[in-house]
Amino acid sequence: MEKARIMDEKAIGRAITRISHEIIERNKGIEDLVIVGIKTKGIPLANRIASKIEAIENSRVICESIDITSYRDDVTHDVIKGLVDEKFDLDVHNKTVVLVDDVLYTGRTIRAALDYIIDNGRPKLVQLAVLVDRGHRELPIRADYVGKNVPTSKNEKVLVKFVEIDDEDSVTICE
């Protein structure tokens, strides 16, 4: 059941614009920058951030996606055996990688994504961009770029919808 709508289409757009500017400023441009969206909802967010950066800088930004399912610590090995490992063929060596996901919660998804990236090369720097940081970390992980900090209880869920997947842009807190 929806408890509160915390971001609409315009708020999400503003957050993406701000995050994109912050990425450019912190990295002093976009040289050797790679945007990597974490499947599922990190992918449309990464694509939007990359598009916004391209519009600002008038230069193409590499944007890829990863599926970290086989790196998760909450998936049984029986499930992992049946997965097809999509090979990540992007060269991250000596690049600045910006991992992108919709919601930062316990940090376990990001830990899995870091393992995935490191297994595929040695980046110069890894940064994290999220649309919503809801707290309740179980690992020492912090986002570099945050669209909105939303204090939640552990029994609440943060539901992010993107028009590319859900036919609307919104962020809601649900019971």
Side-chain angles (χ1 to χ4, degrees):
M1 180 171 89
E2 186 176 309
K3 184 176 177 181
R5 183 171 291 243
I6 55 173
M7 294 179 88
D8 61 10
E9 180 181 356
K10 287 184 179 183
I12 291 171
R14 285 190 300 271
I16 289 169
T17 298
R18 183 172 34 76
I19 288 168
S20 301
H21 280 284
E22 288 175 2
I23 289 170
I24 295 166
E25 288 174 25
R26 185 171 296 171
N27 293 293
K28 298 175 177 51
I30 59 171
E31 187 177 339
D32 294 325
L33 186 72
V34 177
I35 309 287
V36 178
I38 300 170
K39 185 180 177 183
T40 298
K41 299 284 176 90
I43 296 172
L45 182 58
N47 288 331
R48 290 183 189 193
I49 289 170
S51 293
K52 183 60 74 173
I53 289 172
E54 287 176 9
I56 295 165
E57 290 291 296
N58 199 24
S59 184
R60 188 180 178 305
V61 177
I62 296 170
C63 185
E64 290 289 330
S65 63
I66 58 174
D67 181 351
I68 51 93
T69 306
S70 62
Y71 283 80
R72 295 188 63 92
D73 60 6
D74 59 352
V75 177
T76 65
H77 290 289
D78 293 340
V79 172
I80 292 172
K81 278 196 288 189
L83 294 174
V84 175
D85 186 22
E86 299 173 15
K87 202 58 195 153
F88 185 68
D89 61 356
L90 179 64
D91 177 18
V92 295
H93 182 71
N94 226 15
K95 302 269 197 279
T96 297
V97 175
V98 180
L99 284 173
V100 179
D101 206 6
D102 59 338
V103 178
L104 177 56
Y105 181 35
T106 63
R108 293 188 178 278
T109 297
I110 305 309
R111 188 230 24 106
L114 288 168
D115 288 348
Y116 188 106
I117 294 293
I118 299 301
D119 279 356
N120 287 281
R122 188 177 192 287
K124 173 175 65 178
L125 178 65
V126 179
Q127 299 172 338
L128 176 60
V130 297
L131 185 60
V132 176
D133 183 343
R134 63 170 291 190
H136 305 287
R137 222 70 81 236
E138 294 174 4
L139 298 170
I141 290 176
R142 178 186 55 84
D144 298 282
Y145 313 102
V146 178
K148 187 170 186 79
N149 287 293
V150 180
T152 61
S153 70
K154 287 190 174 190
N155 63 348
E156 294 175 318
K157 290 190 179 230
V158 174
L159 180 62
V160 175
K161 292 184 178 180
F162 289 117
V163 71
E164 295 90 334
I165 298 169
D166 308 296
D167 297 325
E168 74 171 284
D169 283 342
S170 65
V171 179
T172 55
I173 297 177
C174 302
E175 296 270 356

